[in-house]
């Protein structure tokens, strides 16, 4: 809703000052050599071509050929050279010369640089602030470990010692922050090729350390994007979780199990990379008593220790708790409530009401996680325990491989390498970067061809084709038309070392050998041909529901998550929403007649911010998983010290796919086996539902789970059959959706959710909320 309140004189003055203040863009990378300077200079070239007056000062190319090529045509303002006590040569900005030249935009490296003794300002950041006040915009570079706050974390995790830093809130000063992502494999290849000649502390440049710094960078930028998204949603009048980041709220009592629930919430928040808050409820008319006061002090200390925000809310009676908890969850943008099982009998629940059941009933767009009762049957199984490491056979290296083992090893050796460039939306530069890498490999003498290219008539992308050979497409007849697809047979016959394949999520024309392009890619890899490909984050199968929640668009073409895990490298191409929209307006993404429609739909600011954060977090999680697979102990999310088995209960409703995808994502993050179960309740004849059951079975198997079809039982016995099957699988976490049954149905047959809350107290229950877009908008908007 528009704000009709008159601006104060101070607000008007601040707005006028902003008109005369330069813009600051910060390009951040995980480590030296990630390509920050190259991309800064490329941004400068783009601005220069648009008629903007651009100059450079104190830019360090490190004599890297690609970076030096980007200097062409950019005016250099001489810097002040001086020698540091450690013997190294340094460059300071010559502020007097810059002001005299007065460019519209200045490009400079080394945001954390410290100036020479006696300089007007102590640091380059202070110099930049001065230039911004003079109306000169600045684009600068920084490494993630040069940000205070990250510096100490990086020192603890990998032992890097950083002398020159900038304040931890430096990124908040920027009008625009862009991440330059690079995989450890790419960076190590640059070192091996001699492209990074001045590498600081080469001992730290190993795959694991680079991975840790990369994940730190991705998560740091994601947090900044999340802040932008929350601000945007608040301005638009939205409430509740955005669907990109996790924010866990633990409802705890001043009781012996309060700390257990908080610790469980901490584990979940840490594993999901989310924030943690805790809420407790007190009745001012009731005295806490000595024991509860002690628990209160203990919980406060625990929250302070683990960095959780504690809310203590006053209520008149316990019946106020569900409504208060729901309201707090929406106000605080909570994505999941963690609460303990009720220990009441059925009669007590009937008389006093069940807080958990009432919360589940009232909640919209917020999941409810009910923590297993450790005193219930089998409780010792679900308490946190140290995961046992598999026994190592000391004679393993000397044992002769079986024919099957040898066959698998040979297939792995023969298989080509697979790299995927991923972005938040069309137009970020995935294809451009793929082609650029293809030409770099070609210059090294590696045989590279283009298997499938979609330039969408973008001149910049077409210009990157260079000397790359293009394999002609195959003609596929379909309904009287002649359609084109990638000619996989021709590529295999051509047998290049590397093939570039655009748009991994593409669906092939009916009648093709494979239904999806990613299946063609697997065939190429198995033929020993390496593949570099592209895709957008919204095409990832398990994110399908998140993307629809964020954008209102159901993406039809998807790629199983396993394909991304198959990749040897996954690299993010990051572009800010504002820059992407500017490209759109200039006609550099779609034809000009489609621009207004795109900007008003998928390319809306809120969508682009949310998709960018989703991409950053997804790749950060991918990096973390790879770190764990490399057996590093410095995984940022920490170890998961529980043996988990996930069991997803579904009906044949349209919500079933959402539950299956949620089950997969949870199981994958917990490294747990997972099962999907459908039990017919007699409401529909089985012969009418076979096709629907087969759809759910295919999706489950596609994501790596097992599908379990139960025996038909009466509705009142549905929970018993479900529990029997879950217990047989040694389930520790049962996932089910929020009921859509009518009040009349629940009156006649009872509520399965309530029955499970009473009978499944020995396991965790995750109630996945129905998504209701209307519930996200403030009343009156």
């Amino acid at each position: 809703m528009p704000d009709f309140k008159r601006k104060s004189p101070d607000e008007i003055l601040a707005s006028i000052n902003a008109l005369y203040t330069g813009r600051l863009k910060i390009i951040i990378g995980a480590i030296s050599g990630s390509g920050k300077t190259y991309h800064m200079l490329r941004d400068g070239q783009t601005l220069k071509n648009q008629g903007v007056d651009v100059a450079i000062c104190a830019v360090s190319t490190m004599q890297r050929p690609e970076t030096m090529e980007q200097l062409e045509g950019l005016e250099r303002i001489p810097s002040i050279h001086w020698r540091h006590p450690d013997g190294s040569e340094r460059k300071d900005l010559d502020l007097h010369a810059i002001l005299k030249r007065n460019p519209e935009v200045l490009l400079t490296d080394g945001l954390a640089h410290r100036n020479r003794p006696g300089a007007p300002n102590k640091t380059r950041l202070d110099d930049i602030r001065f230039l911004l006040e003079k109306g000169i915009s600045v684009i600068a570079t920084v490494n993630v470990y040069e940000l205070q706050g990250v510096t100490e974390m990086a020192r603890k995790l990998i032992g890097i010692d950083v002398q020159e830093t900038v304040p931890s809130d430096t990124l908040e000063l920027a009008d625009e922050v862009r991440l330059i992502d690079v995989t450890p494999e790419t960076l190590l290849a640059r070192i091996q090729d001699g492209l990074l000649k001045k590498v600081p502390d080469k001992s730290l440049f190993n795959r694991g350390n680079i991975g840790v710094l990369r994940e730190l960078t991705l998560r740091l930028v994601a947090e900044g994007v999340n802040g932008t998204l929350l601000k945007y949603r608040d301005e638009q009048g939205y409430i509740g979780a955005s669907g990109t980041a996790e924010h866990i709220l633990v409802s705890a009592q001043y009781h012996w199990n309060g700390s257990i629930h908080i610790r469980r919430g901490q584990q979940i928040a840490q594993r999901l990379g989310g924030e943690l808050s805790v809420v407790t409820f007190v009745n001012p008319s009731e005295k806490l008593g000595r024991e509860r006061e002690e628990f209160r002090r203990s919980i406060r200390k625990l929250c302070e220790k683990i960095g959780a925000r504690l809310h203590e809310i006053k209520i008149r009676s316990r019946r106020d708790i569900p409504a208060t908890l729901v309201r707090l969850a929406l106000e605080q943008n909570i994505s999941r409530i963690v609460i303990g099982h009720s220990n009441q009998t059925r009669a007590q629940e009937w008389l006093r009401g069940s807080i958990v059941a009432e919360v589940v009933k009232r909640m919209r767009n917020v999941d409810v996680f009910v923590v297993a009762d450790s005193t219930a049957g089998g409780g010792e199984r679900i308490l946190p325990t140290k995961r046992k490491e598999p026994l190592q056979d000391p004679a393993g290296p000397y044992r002769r491989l079986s024919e099957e083992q040898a066959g698998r090893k040979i297939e792995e050796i023969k298989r080509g390498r697979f790299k995927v460039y991923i972005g938040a939306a069309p137009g970020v530069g995935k294809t451009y970067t793929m082609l650029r890498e293809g030409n770099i490999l070609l210059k090294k003498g590696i045989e590279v061809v283009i298997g499938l290219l979609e330039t969408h008539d973008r001149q910049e992308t077409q210009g990157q084709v260079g000397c790359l050979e293009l394999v002609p497409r195959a003609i596929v007849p379909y309904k009287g038309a002649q359609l084109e697809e990638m000619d996989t047979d021709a590529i295999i016959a051509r047998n290049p070392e590397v093939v570039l394949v655009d748009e991994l999520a593409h669906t092939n024309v009916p009648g093709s050998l494979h239904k999806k392009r990613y299946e063609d890619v697997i065939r190429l890899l198995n033929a020993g041909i390496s593949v570099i490909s592209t895709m957008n984050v919204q095409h990832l199968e398990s994110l399908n529901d998140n993307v629809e929640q964020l954008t209102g668009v159901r993406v039809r073409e998807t790629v199983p998550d396993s394909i991304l895990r198959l990749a040897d490298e996954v690299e993010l191409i990051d572009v800010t929403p504002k820059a992407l929209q500017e490209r759109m307006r200039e006609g550099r993404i779609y034809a000009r007649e489609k621009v207004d429609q795109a900007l008003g739909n998928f390319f809306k600011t809120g969508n682009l911010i949310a998709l960018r954060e989703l991409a950053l977090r997804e790749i950060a999680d991918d990096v973390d998983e790879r770190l764990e697979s490399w057996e590093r102990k410095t995984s940022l999310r920490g170890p998961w010290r529980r043996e988990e088995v996930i069991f997803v209960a579904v009906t044949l409703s349209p919500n079933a796919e959402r539950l299956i995808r949620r089950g997969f994502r949870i199981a994958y993050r917990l490294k747990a086996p997972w099962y999907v179960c459908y039990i017919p309740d007699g409401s529909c004849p089985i012969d009418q539902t076979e096709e629907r059951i087969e759809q759910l079975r295919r999706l489950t198997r596609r994501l790596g789970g097992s599908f379990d079809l139960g025996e038909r039982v009466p509705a009142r016995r549905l929970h018993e059959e479900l529990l029997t099957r879950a217990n047989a699988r040694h389930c520790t976490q049962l996932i089910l959706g929020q009921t859509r049954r009518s009040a009349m149905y629940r009156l006649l047959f009872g509520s399965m959710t309530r029955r499970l809350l009473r009978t499944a107290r020995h396991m965790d229950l995750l109630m996945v909320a129905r998504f209701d877009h209307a519930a996200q908008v403030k009343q009156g908007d």
Side-chain angles (χ1 to χ4, degrees):
M1 181 180 291
D3 186 2
F4 292 99
K5 186 179 178 182
R6 179 181 289 131
K7 289 184 177 180
S8 68
D10 288 341
E11 289 174 328
I12 294 173
L13 186 61
S15 298
I16 293 173
N17 286 337
L19 296 175
Y20 298 97
T21 301
R23 287 179 56 84
L24 174 61
K25 178 176 181 177
I26 296 177
I27 298 179
I28 186 170
I31 201 165
S32 297
S34 56
K36 302 179 298 298
T37 304
Y38 171 89
H39 285 279
M40 177 183 70
L41 292 172
R42 189 163 162 243
D43 284 352
Q45 292 285 3
T46 301
L47 291 170
K48 181 173 176 289
N49 292 336
Q50 294 170 348
V52 178
D53 183 16
V54 181
I56 66 173
C57 185
V59 171
S60 301
T61 64
M62 300 293 184
Q63 301 301 306
R64 296 165 192 160
E66 282 190 324
T67 307
M68 292 178 69
E69 286 176 9
Q70 295 297 318
L71 289 172
E72 187 177 350
L74 293 176
E75 181 183 344
R76 183 191 293 271
I77 298 174
S79 56
I80 298 173
H81 291 242
W82 61 285
R83 191 160 295 279
H84 193 271
D86 64 8
S88 62
E89 185 182 352
R90 302 294 182 93
K91 300 176 184 178
D92 287 359
L93 297 179
D94 188 336
L95 296 180
H96 178 73
I98 294 170
L99 289 178
K100 185 177 179 181
R101 170 63 180 75
N102 194 28
E104 289 181 272
V105 179
L106 180 78
L107 313 182
T108 185
D109 264 327
L111 191 64
H113 171 83
R114 286 182 188 168
N115 292 334
R116 69 197 182 282
N121 297 308
K122 290 184 178 180
T123 68
R124 181 154 298 164
L125 180 59
D126 291 332
D127 288 343
I128 289 172
R129 284 193 176 110
F130 172 77
L131 293 173
L132 295 174
E133 290 174 0
K134 297 298 181 180
I136 298 174
S137 295
V138 177
I139 304 177
T141 64
V142 71
N143 291 313
V144 70
Y145 51 79
E146 293 168 337
L147 294 168
Q148 292 171 10
V150 179
T151 302
E152 183 60 24
M153 193 184 305
R155 187 187 65 78
K156 289 180 179 179
L157 289 171
I158 64 174
I160 189 170
D161 188 23
V162 182
Q163 299 299 321
E164 296 184 335
T165 61
V166 291
S168 57
D169 62 351
T170 299
L171 296 186
E172 297 174 21
L173 302 175
D175 300 280
E176 189 177 340
V177 176
R178 183 185 177 193
L179 165 70
I180 304 302
D181 186 36
V182 65
T183 64
E185 292 81 2
T186 298
L187 200 57
L188 292 172
R190 289 176 185 174
I191 295 173
Q192 188 175 356
D193 294 339
L195 297 177
L196 306 186
K197 297 174 183 177
K198 297 181 180 180
V199 177
D201 199 349
K202 289 188 179 182
S203 64
L204 296 175
F205 270 66
N206 60 61
R207 187 170 67 161
N209 287 346
I210 297 169
V212 169
L213 291 172
R214 184 186 179 203
E215 185 180 355
L216 278 171
T217 313
L218 287 160
R219 295 201 186 280
L220 181 72
V221 177
E223 286 303 314
V225 176
N226 180 251
T228 305
L229 179 60
L230 293 178
K231 181 181 177 183
Y232 175 85
R233 285 171 60 83
D234 185 60
E235 290 171 352
Q236 298 299 311
Y238 289 109
I239 58 175
S242 65
T244 58
E246 294 282 353
H247 189 174
I248 311 301
L249 176 65
V250 180
S251 177
Q253 303 178 58
Y254 294 137
H255 189 257
W256 67 270
N257 62 7
S259 60
I260 293 177
H261 295 161
I262 294 172
R263 285 291 189 187
R264 189 75 170 95
Q266 181 198 13
Q267 283 184 325
I268 294 169
Q270 188 175 31
R271 197 65 191 168
L272 300 183
E275 294 182 58
L276 179 65
S277 295
V278 177
V279 61
T280 61
F281 299 96
V282 293
N283 188 335
S285 62
E286 296 178 1
K287 192 175 180 180
L288 282 180
R290 185 176 177 180
E291 186 180 55
R292 291 186 67 197
E293 278 288 359
E294 184 59 38
F295 283 127
R296 183 189 212 175
R297 285 192 292 271
S298 173
I299 283 176
R300 283 178 172 175
K301 284 183 180 178
L302 176 58
C303 290
E304 186 176 344
K305 180 181 178 181
I306 64 177
R309 186 186 306 168
L310 178 62
H311 305 266
E312 186 177 88
I313 297 179
K314 296 177 181 178
I315 54 170
R316 290 174 295 180
S317 74
R318 67 187 301 277
R319 291 186 180 274
D320 295 337
I321 292 178
T324 307
L325 192 56
V326 169
R327 186 177 66 252
L328 180 67
L330 291 175
E331 290 173 354
Q332 297 295 319
N333 303 314
I334 299 300
S335 60
R336 184 177 303 190
I337 290 174
V338 175
I339 193 170
H341 270 287
S342 169
N343 57 6
Q344 297 182 120
T345 65
R346 187 171 183 177
Q348 288 173 325
E349 284 186 6
W350 188 81
L351 288 170
R352 305 177 63 195
S354 167
I355 292 174
V356 180
E358 192 62 27
V359 168
V360 171
K361 178 182 173 183
R362 288 170 174 262
M363 194 56 67
R364 293 292 182 274
N365 302 345
V366 180
D367 297 342
V368 180
F369 186 94
V370 188
V371 181
D373 182 357
S374 60
T375 63
E380 70 283 352
R381 176 168 55 82
I382 53 89
L383 284 175
T385 57
K386 178 71 176 178
R387 174 173 289 193
K388 295 179 180 178
E389 297 295 331
L391 292 175
Q392 298 292 326
D393 181 1
Y398 299 95
R399 295 206 184 277
R400 184 178 288 119
L401 295 175
S402 67
E403 287 189 18
E404 184 181 348
Q405 290 172 324
R408 284 200 302 266
K409 291 285 186 183
I410 291 169
E411 288 301 317
E412 289 176 11
I413 293 168
K414 289 167 60 179
R415 178 178 165 272
R417 282 187 64 81
F418 185 27
K419 181 172 184 176
V420 178
Y421 284 108
I422 193 167
V428 297
K430 304 178 297 298
T431 304
Y432 179 100
T433 308
M434 177 184 72
L435 292 170
R436 178 171 157 249
E437 181 168 4
N439 277 296
I440 291 171
L441 293 173
L442 198 63
K443 289 177 183 177
K444 292 180 181 179
I446 296 172
E447 191 177 18
V448 184
V449 301
I450 298 173
L452 195 291
L453 177 63
E454 296 287 359
T455 65
H456 299 286
D457 295 324
R458 296 167 193 162
Q459 293 182 0
E460 286 184 336
T461 304
Q462 188 65 46
Q464 284 298 307
V465 172
C467 300
L468 293 170
E469 175 190 338
L470 183 63
V471 177
R473 301 187 187 190
I475 304 298
V476 182
Y478 180 66
K479 292 185 177 180
Q482 301 294 309
L483 304 179
E484 295 182 340
E485 287 293 356
M486 181 171 72
D487 195 336
T488 309
D489 290 333
I491 295 169
I492 292 174
R494 174 70 176 73
N495 195 30
E497 291 179 89
V498 180
V499 62
L500 311 182
V501 179
D502 222 352
E503 298 188 357
L504 189 62
H506 171 79
T507 301
N508 291 332
V509 175
S512 302
L513 178 62
H514 294 122
K515 183 179 178 181
K516 302 289 291 187
R517 184 166 291 162
Y518 68 78
E519 295 175 297
D520 294 330
V521 165
I522 292 173
R523 186 180 168 207
L524 292 171
L525 293 170
N526 290 337
I529 300 171
S530 294
V531 178
I532 303 176
S533 191
T534 66
M535 66 175 287
N536 289 319
V537 71
Q538 64 263 29
H539 293 293
L540 205 57
E541 176 71 59
S542 69
L543 292 177
N544 199 257
D545 305 299
N546 300 64
V547 172
E548 184 180 25
Q549 177 180 337
L550 292 168
T551 66
V553 176
R554 170 66 71 176
V555 177
R556 300 300 174 188
E557 293 188 315
T558 60
V559 172
D561 292 55
S562 58
I563 298 300
L564 208 60
R565 315 307 172 206
L566 180 68
D568 300 282
E569 297 179 67
V570 180
E571 194 166 298
L572 176 69
I573 306 300
D574 180 50
V575 173
T576 63
K578 185 171 182 178
L580 196 58
Q581 288 175 328
E582 190 60 35
R583 290 183 188 179
M584 176 68 75
R585 292 187 185 95
E586 292 169 358
R588 294 162 60 193
I589 299 178
Y590 295 148
R592 291 191 182 274
E593 60 268 19
K594 297 181 180 179
V595 168
D596 290 340
Q597 182 184 0
L599 289 173
N601 291 283
F602 193 80
F603 278 76
K604 288 189 293 189
T605 300
N607 288 354
L608 295 179
I609 296 171
L611 288 169
R612 185 188 183 201
E613 182 183 352
L614 200 65
L616 286 161
R617 293 189 184 279
E618 189 63 25
I619 301 306
D621 287 342
D622 179 78
V623 173
D624 201 274
E625 295 293 340
R626 291 172 193 269
L627 285 171
E628 289 185 347
S629 70
W630 298 338
E631 298 182 348
R632 283 191 60 91
K633 296 180 180 178
T634 45
S635 166
L636 298 188
R637 293 182 297 174
W640 184 256
R641 303 185 184 279
R642 292 165 53 90
E643 295 287 353
E644 296 273 10
V645 178
I646 309 302
F647 199 83
V648 185
V650 298
T651 64
L652 301 184
S653 74
N655 197 44
E657 283 89 350
R658 184 164 178 253
L659 290 175
I660 292 171
R661 294 186 187 104
R662 181 65 65 86
F664 159 75
R665 289 187 69 79
I666 290 171
Y668 181 77
R669 286 177 172 179
L670 303 185
K671 296 177 171 51
W674 64 289
Y675 305 89
V676 174
C677 181
Y678 168 64
I679 301 173
D681 60 1
S683 58
C684 293
I686 192 69
D687 59 339
Q688 295 181 14
T689 60
E690 286 182 357
E691 184 179 349
R692 178 65 177 144
I693 291 171
E694 186 56 34
Q695 288 175 349
L696 302 182
R697 181 184 280 112
R698 282 198 301 267
L699 177 59
T700 302
R701 289 176 177 172
R702 188 181 183 196
L703 292 172
S706 300
F707 190 84
D708 190 3
L709 179 59
E711 298 293 331
R712 185 179 303 190
V713 295
R716 288 188 177 275
R717 288 194 48 235
L718 199 58
H719 71 290
E720 296 175 4
E721 180 68 13
L722 192 62
L723 269 184
T724 299
R725 291 180 175 273
N727 287 330
R729 300 288 192 182
H730 304 290
C731 162
T732 61
Q733 186 176 149
L734 176 61
I735 300 175
L736 59 157
Q738 196 173 27
T739 182
R740 292 176 179 265
R741 302 291 192 184
S742 65
M744 180 59 70
Y745 182 95
R746 294 196 300 271
L747 184 65
L748 292 174
F749 299 104
S751 167
M752 189 181 77
T753 301
R754 282 183 175 268
R755 290 190 180 113
L756 286 172
L757 287 170
R758 284 195 298 269
T759 57
R761 292 175 179 172
H762 60 291
M763 63 178 68
D764 295 334
L765 295 182
L766 176 61
M767 312 290 182
V768 178
R770 300 196 303 270
F771 176 69
D772 181 0
H773 188 273
Q776 289 203 325
V777 184
K778 291 179 181 177
Q779 295 296 321
D781 285 1

